[in-house]
Amino acid sequence: MLELLRIFIQVANFGSFSKTAKVLNIAPSSVTRSIDKLEAELGVALFKRSTRALSLTEHGQQLFERAHLLLADADDLVSSVKDANAEPKGELKISVFESFGRQKVSPLIPSFLKQFPAVNVQIELDNQLVDLNSSAFDIGIRIGKPEDSDLRARKLLENRMVLCASPNYLDVFGPPAEPSELSGHNCLLLNQGRQRCYWHFNSKQSSLQKNKKVLVTGNLSSKGGSPLVVAAIAGTGILLIARWMVEEHLNDGSLIECMPEWAPSLYEQGSGDIYAIYQGSRYLKPSVRSFIDFLVEHISD
């Protein structure tokens, strides 16, 4: 049936049995027999035939419009099955926001390339979102699931936030006891393109008011978190940041968690998880599938 459909599409494109036969390098009678067989199997006429012209019937037009998708899907499936045990190879382009790429993704790439030496990785660390549908990137790593229904996502990490500051800063200015006190602190801000910045807090204790929203200000802002972490360690201010960015500094004492009884967030509805985003084909090329599986294995919670 699939081969009959391929011949049908060529006949519909050329509007001629003889031209199709020439392109496919087969006898015109073979093209005619193939169309006759397809019409017999479907039980409908696909072409209006005359000595002067060949045109699609209504059923033929309906089949023509959808046969392209069916054949493309079939070709993808065959390719996927052939590649299922194939070694990942070729170009793999990845876009990831700067801090996560530098701290979490980049250190894993040498191990990935050692395991899959035929893959050539190109990684760009950029806080600007790329459109995977119109760019050459295979994978984008972002905070939050995409709204685009043509894209797919696999969760890498829960983006839990932590409020923290250096011991020196807390010695001088004192630790905040509750969210409203942050208005009196120098807060290091992730630049989200807003004129005013709010931090949100959800109480972990039933005895406290459950949700609080605090207007915060400070003398340093950045689109990426790395400069803010450096400033926080130097005692410049108090910081609300993803825990994965400062875990080692919390462990070695260069930063101290503040108000652990509150769950902080940059957003009223939570900060969102981190996902690997890729184009929505059901049949991924082996390098994309292998890299995403590698990330999930080594980064996931």
Side-chain angles (χ1 to χ4, degrees), residues 162-171 173-176 182 185-186 188 228-229 231-241 246 249-250 253-259:
V162 61
L163 186 73
C164 57
S166 71
N168 289 341
Y169 178 88
L170 296 177
D171 286 342
F173 298 97
L182 289 170
H185 283 269
N186 187 48
L188 308 175
L228 304 182
V229 173
I233 293 172
T236 306
I238 193 165
L239 176 63
L240 178 57
I241 198 75
V246 293
H249 304 301
L250 294 171
S254 54
L255 290 175
I256 297 175
E257 182 174 5
C258 303
M259 299 192 307

Side-chain angles (χ1 to χ4, degrees), residues 44 76 83 148 156 161 163 186 195 244 253 273 282 285:
V44 296
D76 280 347
D83 290 342
D148 188 339
L156 299 179
M161 308 297 287
L163 186 73
N186 187 48
Q195 289 185 335
W244 57 263
D273 297 332
R282 286 179 290 170
K285 64 181 185 181

